[in-house]
Amino acid sequence: MAQAWQPNPEIASEVVKLFLHLGATTGEQHMSYVNALQTFESRPEALLYLAYIFAYLQDNRDEKLLRVRNLAGIELKNALVKRCEVIARLIGQQQGTVAVERLQEQHFPTFEYARVCSLHALHDSTPNLRSVAGMVLGSLSRVEPFCPVIVRDLMVLMRRHSDDPQNPNYASHTTPGSENQLVEAASSAMKKVCEESYDLLQLSQRMLLEELFNVLFIRVGDPSAVVRNSCIRAINVFITSRADVLRGRIEQFLNIISLRGNDDNADVRQSVCESLTSILSEVPESLYENLDSIINFILDKSEDKDEEVALEAGEFWLVYAESKNMVLRDRLQPALSRLLPMLLNKMVYTADDVERLMEDDGAERPDRDQDVRPRFYKSKGQAHGGTSSGAGEDEDLDGDDEGFNDDEEEWNLRKCSAACIDLLAGFLPDALIVELLPLIDQKLQNPQWEVRESGILALGAIADNVRNSDEDRGAYAHRMLQMDGYLHRTVPFLIHTLEDPSSPALLRSITCWTVGRYGWWVARHVPESQEEAHRKQILEPVLVQFLKMIPYPSKKVQEAACSGFAYIQREAGVQLSLYLNHIVPLLGQALEAYQRRNLLNLYDVIATLADSVGRNLANDMCINSLLLPLLARWQAMQPDDRDMLPLLECLAALISATGPAFERFAPDVWKQCLDLITFTFQREQNRQHLLAQAANGDAAARAEVEAQGIADVEDVEDRDFVILALDLLSAITQALNQSVAHLVDKRFMELFIYSMKDHAMEIRQSAYALLGDLVIACFDRISEHMGHIIPIAINELIQLYERLVPHRTNGAGGPPSVHGFASRQLLSVLNNATWALGEISLRFGHGMDHWVPHLLPALNAFLRSGQDVTPQLQENLCIAIGRLGMASPELVSEQLPTFLRSWCEVARMLPTNEEKASSFYGICLVVSHNPQGAVGDDLLYLLDAILTYEHPSTEMHQKFQELLGNFQTLYAQVGKPFPPADAPQHIRVHLASLYGIGA
């Protein structure tokens, strides 16, 4: 193709003009040229023209034509990224087929021409063009046949005028400038190829990799810093990807980069630090021999005059502290006396930092869109069975790293240093507090507030890990005693910092954050004799200052106060009910005063308060100060305003807390939820319709799609509105209980069933949570819809069950496994569906008969999969099977031998509550219908489960007594003793003592 294809000069000229117009127009005219370019790129020969213009257009150093070449190269690269990815995947899936041969015949000549053109462009004198050429070669290398060819091409260029005397291209004279540029371009391109195609090289090119490492190792000593840096970074790719070929040469590589540790080029020093960090992460044992000198080297680089080098060195400490490696831990301890002061010094604000951060911090200045961080939501629909609390079980505390963030997205030395101290608190907790707390004291006594601020930040950084380490109990208790004494001295100082009128906003902000992080200590439970003193000296003064900081006229202080107060609320729980007369009105005032960003944070505070004190908020003060203003805000919003989402989360928590007191507002809020769900579903349907019209060639629809920026995939963010509306309906249902029945009308049921069938797992998860709540609250009202609801719910289980069948562990009846393909999200959906089906079974009685043959095998399949599902799902499966037994004991008993042992293994671990009682009662009914299905080895599991049931009710005890008596009679009829002869001694003892069996 490189020789055969020649461009048509007229077509090439038109494409050049198109690029020139793109650079010289705006608005609609510019879009017309963009569309023209897209039309051109759909032609089979388009990539050839782009490659030709990029590499061979005669530009005479004209800036406009150079820009054309650059744009052509970028378009070529972008087109190749898409095409090469698809083709590489197809080749991998269909290796050796006729289809692959056709793909190769169709595309490989074009790829080859692009390769030749890009190699030619590497020789260009323009840096941008050489850089783009490397990008194109990196994209091409994703297609396996081209990867080794490109690597060899670049190695040839990198060897030119190498200073290695054994190289046939060795030259003793100075490399000319153009040759330097070429070697630099080839090295940069090689780095890109390694980044793009390291996996292909590792899989099938071992000998080539050995040769490549030889070249890279030599060029690490190149006179050009660009070459040195590119080669080190290329090697780093193979360290992080755990290339076997390189592992045997790590020591050689360490010797080579040790010569570059004090390189006069900052980029090279940064890359050396990155190499050591990667080796520490992947093959730490390679560093053991020289670890002390490496630690000292990284300490030096942590104080490098170049901030990027120092920041890369900081990454080394992060990886070190995360490793949990005992060898590394012991070797680091002597260095703490130098490391910790250095980290603390890196955390001090500069004057420029302060000026930048405090710009426009006034609480009355309206927020811009860019001031509000995007939020992402997941379903919080809860499956209430068992001991867990639903799908939101791993939610992170909001704002837990606000002290590190400083409103800046960019990672910097301050954040990195604080994160290092945070991790070191978990890695070396005892040694750290011995070294660190005196250093913090020194900072707190400094007259400069910026220095005091850094000490307070450090104290906040260690708050979580210092109490969560894996040390033995004795060491932990001693450390907590030390921290208790330190906090008794220091928290009053922090309170005074908030009281002090001279404290700047940034100092107040970090103090709020740090005190909040110690909410576990501030709101802790102490011995009764100390309760009043602790409350008067610590808890109440802290609350007073937070209530002053929440309305403070600084956005940063408001934000940190909300974050810290939320922490304290979580820890204090119902203790806060003593102070609601102070808290609630102040939060209501903040609702009126806050700007948009902190308003979202305030919603979290109100929701956390509701979760903490529950029905203590069921009063007019809460309704007037919080609930009504929140409802008014919602009513004033547009239905696609994403600020609505945290508001709905807040309302859900508040409605649950107000309980029946919310009833008079329920009809309007219920309708608003349905309106929001309707609007969101309708908008998605309209979008899909418009996309379909555009795909069918409708010009007006295509223009509308482009004007609105509509993508050809679902707008995932739209789901959040449905999810939170469903969660809010759940909250109303829980609050009103039976009184919600009159709100469940035809419109609701249609939308609800539609949500249950939605393809988005998050929506279905919330829908099933709402289903369970409705069943508990007003089953009679929705029972007529069970014929539609139950099949949908069962199908959630059956779909995955059918996928499990081919994956049995031994091919002969072993338990199925969900490991490897059942996502956690899907398991959360199944969890809620299982819980809801259990609640239905409890109430529907023989109405479940028709569904037993479909439902029980699916429940059983998951139950038998053991550790491959979450503990919460196991518990709900166990409860659902028992309750299904209550509804249809005779039908369930037919399958008793298939699930009894698995059921018993889970049931014995259930806490004693109504769910456990109903499940056991159902199994007793099932066993009574088919006692023969429980004899043999499974009987011992059943006896063990019964005997581990602590404090059964009188009814439950009688049921166990009856069941055990039946087994005693059954065994006596065949002349066998009961309990069976092989029953363990503890079973015999407990049967005798608790039920008089075998005594």
Side-chain angles (χ1 to χ4, degrees):
M1 174 63 73
Q3 292 80 28
W5 184 82
Q6 293 297 324
N8 182 316
E10 294 181 0
I11 296 176
S13 177
E14 289 300 316
V15 178
V16 170
K17 290 178 182 177
L18 189 56
F19 279 115
L20 287 170
H21 287 309
L22 281 170
T25 57
T26 58
E28 293 184 7
Q29 192 176 16
H30 179 78
M31 285 304 303
S32 69
Y33 289 117
V34 170
N35 292 335
L37 179 61
Q38 291 174 347
T39 300
F40 168 75
E41 288 182 359
S42 65
R43 296 167 59 171
E45 72 276 17
L47 297 191
L48 296 169
Y49 278 99
L50 291 176
Y52 168 76
I53 292 169
F54 167 55
Y56 297 112
L57 178 67
Q58 296 299 312
D59 55 50
N60 299 318
R61 303 296 90 179
D62 178 273
E63 287 188 9
K64 290 183 179 179
L65 292 178
L66 282 171
R67 187 170 183 276
V68 166
R69 291 182 62 193
N70 194 65
L71 287 173
I74 292 172
E75 285 296 317
L76 174 64
K77 186 267 294 185
N78 291 339
L80 284 171
V81 166
K82 297 176 182 177
R83 195 169 298 185
C84 290
E85 181 180 344
V86 173
I87 291 172
R89 184 172 65 250
L90 291 173
I91 289 176
Q93 293 172 348
Q94 305 176 31
Q95 191 72 43
T97 65
V98 174
V100 167
E101 292 177 3
R102 290 175 180 169
L103 277 174
Q104 293 172 341
E105 291 173 2
Q106 181 181 355
H107 295 286
F108 279 18
T110 300
F111 292 170
E112 173 62 15
Y113 185 73
R115 181 186 71 85
V116 171
C117 289
S118 299
L119 290 171
H120 179 79
L122 286 177
H123 294 72
D124 201 280
S125 61
T126 305
N128 281 351
L129 295 178
R130 297 198 300 270
S131 177
V132 173
M135 295 179 191
V136 174
L137 290 169
S139 300
L140 280 171
S141 70
R142 288 302 302 151
V143 181
E144 189 168 0
F146 288 89
C147 183
V149 174
I150 291 171
V151 169
R152 290 190 178 94
D153 289 337
L154 295 175
M155 284 196 297
V156 169
L157 297 179
M158 290 177 67
R159 284 184 173 126
R160 294 175 73 145
H161 300 279
S162 170
D163 292 330
D164 177 11
Q166 297 180 350
N167 191 334
N169 292 319
Y170 171 73
S172 59
H173 60 275
T174 303
T175 305
S178 60
E179 292 292 348
N180 273 338
Q181 291 177 355
L182 179 58
V183 175
E184 287 177 356
S187 301
S188 297
M190 185 69 84
K191 176 179 73 73
K192 293 182 178 72
V193 169
C194 291
E195 290 170 345
E196 292 289 339
S197 303
Y198 63 87
D199 51 342
L200 296 180
L201 288 167
Q202 289 174 211
L203 284 172
S204 58
Q205 303 295 331
R206 186 179 182 89
M207 293 182 62
L208 180 61
L209 265 184
E210 292 279 11
E211 188 180 351
L212 171 59
F213 289 145
N214 290 337
V215 173
L216 295 173
F217 283 6
I218 290 169
R219 282 300 189 183
V220 170
D222 194 272
S224 166
V226 172
V227 175
R228 297 197 300 273
N229 189 49
S230 295
C231 291
I232 294 173
R233 288 188 176 276
I235 295 167
N236 287 348
V237 170
F238 294 98
I239 297 173
T240 55
S241 63
R242 304 180 180 182
D244 291 336
V245 177
L246 183 59
R247 281 182 175 248
R249 303 181 67 170
I250 289 291
E251 185 175 350
Q252 180 188 1
F253 180 55
L254 285 170
N255 291 333
I256 291 170
I257 61 172
S258 68
L259 303 175
R260 304 264 60 91
N262 295 311
D263 198 283
D264 57 4
N265 182 271
D267 289 339
V268 174
R269 298 197 302 276
Q270 182 180 350
S271 294
V272 170
C273 291
E274 183 184 339
S275 298
L276 291 172
T277 302
S278 298
I279 294 170
L280 177 69
S281 175
E282 303 301 334
V283 279
E285 62 276 7
S286 302
L287 303 181
Y288 288 171
E289 184 176 349
N290 300 300
L291 186 57
D292 295 339
S293 60
I294 290 171
I295 287 173
N296 287 325
F297 168 78
I298 295 293
L299 283 169
D300 290 339
K301 295 306 113 181
S302 297
E303 299 183 279
D304 196 280
K305 59 185 178 182
D306 186 280
E307 185 170 327
E308 293 302 316
V309 176
L311 189 57
E312 192 62 54
E315 297 293 331
F316 180 90
W317 303 122
L318 291 174
V319 172
Y320 203 115
E322 283 184 310
S323 69
K324 305 301 182 185
N325 183 308
M326 293 299 102
V327 174
L328 295 179
R329 186 184 69 172
D330 294 341
R331 299 282 286 276
L332 180 63
Q333 191 162 330
L336 288 179
S337 59
R338 182 181 170 192
L339 173 60
L340 293 176
M342 182 270 297
L343 292 174
L344 279 171
N345 290 335
K346 298 290 184 185
M347 292 157 60
V348 179
Y349 280 132
T350 66
D352 290 342
D353 292 334
V354 174
E355 182 178 357
R356 183 182 66 257
L357 290 169
M358 292 311 298
E359 184 179 4
D360 297 328
D361 186 52
E364 296 181 357
R365 182 183 67 83
D367 290 324
R368 302 162 297 176
D369 286 344
Q370 57 265 39
D371 295 330
V372 182
R373 295 173 186 164
R375 295 186 175 207
F376 303 95
Y377 296 86
K378 60 184 179 180
S379 173
K380 293 184 179 178
Q382 296 187 346
H384 304 283
T387 60
S388 303
S389 60
E393 59 195 47
D394 281 342
E395 292 170 33
D396 295 324
L397 296 177
D398 291 328
D400 70 340
D401 62 350
E402 290 299 327
F404 300 175
N405 279 338
D406 302 333
D407 260 355
E408 296 182 274
E409 295 299 327
E410 185 177 346
W411 186 244
N412 57 32
L413 279 173
R414 172 184 165 91
K415 295 178 186 179
C416 182
S417 299
C420 286
I421 287 179
D422 179 10
L423 291 174
L424 287 169
F427 190 49
L428 282 163
D430 299 309
L432 179 121
I433 64 171
V434 169
E435 295 275 357
L436 183 64
L437 295 184
L439 295 174
I440 291 176
D441 278 336
Q442 292 176 18
K443 299 288 184 183
L444 298 184
Q445 295 163 15
N446 194 288
Q448 288 184 272
W449 74 263
E450 295 91 344
V451 177
R452 297 200 303 276
E453 193 274 349
S454 68
I456 296 172
L457 170 58
L459 180 60
I462 68 172
D464 281 349
N465 272 331
V466 80
R467 68 179 183 128
N468 289 331
S469 65
D470 297 327
E471 293 290 314
D472 62 73
R473 290 188 176 184
Y476 173 80
H478 178 69
R479 182 166 66 256
M480 287 298 97
L481 191 62
Q482 289 178 284
M483 288 301 300
D484 183 59
Y486 186 81
L487 291 172
H488 267 295
R489 298 192 306 273
T490 308
V491 169
F493 170 83
L494 299 178
I495 293 171
H496 174 72
T497 299
L498 295 175
E499 288 175 332
D500 187 352
S502 67
S503 294
L506 288 176
L507 184 58
R508 293 176 185 275
S509 172
I510 201 62
T511 304
C512 287
W513 178 79
T514 293
V515 174
R517 296 264 287 182
Y518 284 97
W520 55 267
W521 184 84
V522 169
R524 66 190 175 134
H525 293 286
V526 297
E528 187 175 351
S529 61
Q530 302 174 21
E531 278 184 6
E532 184 174 357
H534 184 79
R535 187 172 68 251
K536 295 294 184 183
Q537 296 171 17
I538 301 296
L539 177 59
E540 290 180 358
V542 165
L543 292 178
V544 167
Q545 291 308 313
F546 269 95
L547 294 180
K548 290 180 180 179
M549 293 303 103
I550 286 174
Y552 192 83
S554 159
K555 290 183 178 180
K556 286 183 171 53
V557 174
Q558 291 173 358
E559 181 175 14
C562 286
S563 172
F565 192 50
Y567 266 99
I568 292 171
Q569 288 181 130
R570 290 183 179 98
E571 298 292 343
V574 75
Q575 292 183 73
L576 290 181
S577 59
L578 298 173
Y579 311 102
L580 290 179
N581 288 340
H582 303 283
I583 295 171
V584 170
L586 186 133
L587 296 182
Q589 294 168 19
L591 275 175
E592 299 300 321
Y594 271 19
Q595 298 297 330
R596 181 183 169 200
R597 171 170 169 164
N598 281 338
L599 196 59
L600 305 185
N601 296 320
L602 186 62
Y603 295 155
D604 291 336
V605 172
I606 295 171
T608 306
L609 179 67
D611 292 338
S612 300
V613 303
R615 293 292 165 87
N616 287 293
L617 288 178
N619 54 58
D620 289 341
M621 178 181 66
C622 170
I623 289 171
N624 294 328
S625 297
L626 300 178
L627 182 60
L628 291 179
L630 289 170
L631 291 175
R633 284 187 176 275
W634 183 19
Q635 289 167 358
M637 288 179 170
Q638 295 297 316
D640 57 353
D641 186 343
R642 288 193 63 80
D643 286 359
M644 181 196 306
L645 301 175
L647 172 60
L648 294 183
E649 280 193 307
C650 178
L651 278 171
L654 201 55
I655 288 169
S656 293
T658 53
F662 177 74
E663 185 169 1
R664 65 183 186 271
F665 310 105
D668 290 340
V669 176
W670 190 272
K671 180 179 181 300
Q672 273 187 268
C673 289
L674 300 187
D675 290 344
L676 180 58
I677 295 171
T678 301
F679 173 84
T680 307
F681 280 145
Q682 187 62 57
R683 185 167 66 168
E684 176 60 21
Q685 291 172 3
N686 293 343
R687 194 182 68 84
Q688 293 292 346
H689 179 67
L690 195 62
L691 285 169
Q693 287 181 310
N696 290 331
D698 187 318
R702 184 178 299 173
E704 183 69 15
V705 166
E706 292 173 357
Q708 295 186 26
I710 297 175
D712 59 355
V713 294
E714 181 189 9
D715 186 350
V716 175
E717 290 187 353
D718 277 0
R719 298 176 187 170
D720 294 338
F721 292 98
V722 177
I723 292 166
L724 288 169
L726 290 169
D727 290 346
L728 189 51
L729 292 171
S730 279
I732 296 171
T733 303
Q734 293 171 26
L736 302 190
N737 205 359
Q738 296 177 353
S739 299
V740 80
H742 72 280
L743 301 175
V744 179
D745 56 14
K746 180 180 179 182
R747 182 193 179 197
F748 166 79
M749 289 306 306
E750 288 176 351
L751 285 173
F752 172 64
I753 292 175
Y754 188 88
S755 299
M756 287 181 64
K757 296 187 290 187
D758 194 89
H759 66 279
M761 290 186 290
E762 300 91 340
I763 290 177
R764 300 201 308 276
Q765 181 178 337
S766 285
Y768 286 119
L770 175 56
L771 172 61
D773 290 331
L774 288 167
V775 169
I776 293 171
C778 57
F779 180 73
D780 290 343
R781 183 70 183 87
I782 64 171
S783 60
E784 63 184 278
H785 301 282
M786 287 298 111
H788 298 291
I789 289 173
I790 292 175
I792 298 171
I794 291 176
N795 195 50
E796 288 287 356
L797 278 70
I798 289 179
Q799 283 184 351
L800 187 52
Y801 171 66
E802 290 174 346
R803 293 170 63 186
L804 287 173
V805 171
H807 295 276
R808 294 185 183 278
T809 56
N810 57 18
S817 170
V818 300
H819 181 70
F821 64 84
S823 71
R824 181 178 175 181
Q825 185 70 57
L826 182 55
L827 289 178
S828 295
V829 178
L830 292 168
N831 190 36
N832 287 2
T834 300
W835 167 67
L837 285 165
E839 295 294 339
I840 292 170
S841 298
L842 187 63
R843 292 160 177 83
F844 205 27
H846 284 288
M848 294 300 297
D849 288 354
H850 175 72
W851 307 109
V852 169
H854 309 283
L855 175 56
L856 186 56
L859 294 172
N860 186 20
F862 288 111
L863 188 66
R864 294 173 64 209
S865 62
Q867 296 304 313
D868 288 320
V869 299
T870 65
Q872 184 187 2
L873 178 54
Q874 277 190 310
E875 292 173 9
N876 283 321
L877 289 163
C878 174
I879 292 166
I881 288 175
R883 288 178 166 182
L884 189 61
M886 285 185 68
S888 305
E890 187 172 355
L891 290 173
V892 172
S893 71
E894 296 173 2
Q895 301 184 43
L896 180 63
T898 68
F899 67 80
L900 181 58
R901 181 177 300 190
S902 298
W903 182 91
C904 291
E905 289 174 338
V906 177
R908 69 187 306 276
M909 305 301 294
L910 294 175
T912 302
N913 54 27
E914 291 182 6
E915 286 84 359
K916 179 171 184 173
S918 61
S919 185
F920 267 86
Y921 196 90
I923 289 300
C924 287
L925 293 177
V926 169
V927 173
S928 296
H929 277 79
N930 182 15
Q932 292 293 342
V935 298
D937 293 340
D938 288 350
L939 179 60
L940 297 180
Y941 284 87
L942 179 60
L943 295 177
D944 179 67
I946 291 173
L947 295 172
T948 54
Y949 195 127
E950 296 182 353
H951 311 299
S953 65
T954 301
E955 182 184 14
M956 197 73 249
H957 188 278
Q958 291 174 349
K959 197 66 182 174
F960 288 154
Q961 187 79 61
E962 177 186 336
L963 184 68
L964 294 170
N966 290 341
F967 274 114
Q968 191 173 32
T969 300
L970 182 66
Y971 270 68
Q973 288 174 351
V974 293
K976 293 183 178 180
F978 184 83
D982 57 348
Q985 182 63 23
H986 74 276
I987 288 181
R988 294 176 177 277
V989 170
H990 285 95
L991 280 174
S993 62
L994 296 174
Y995 296 98
I997 302 292

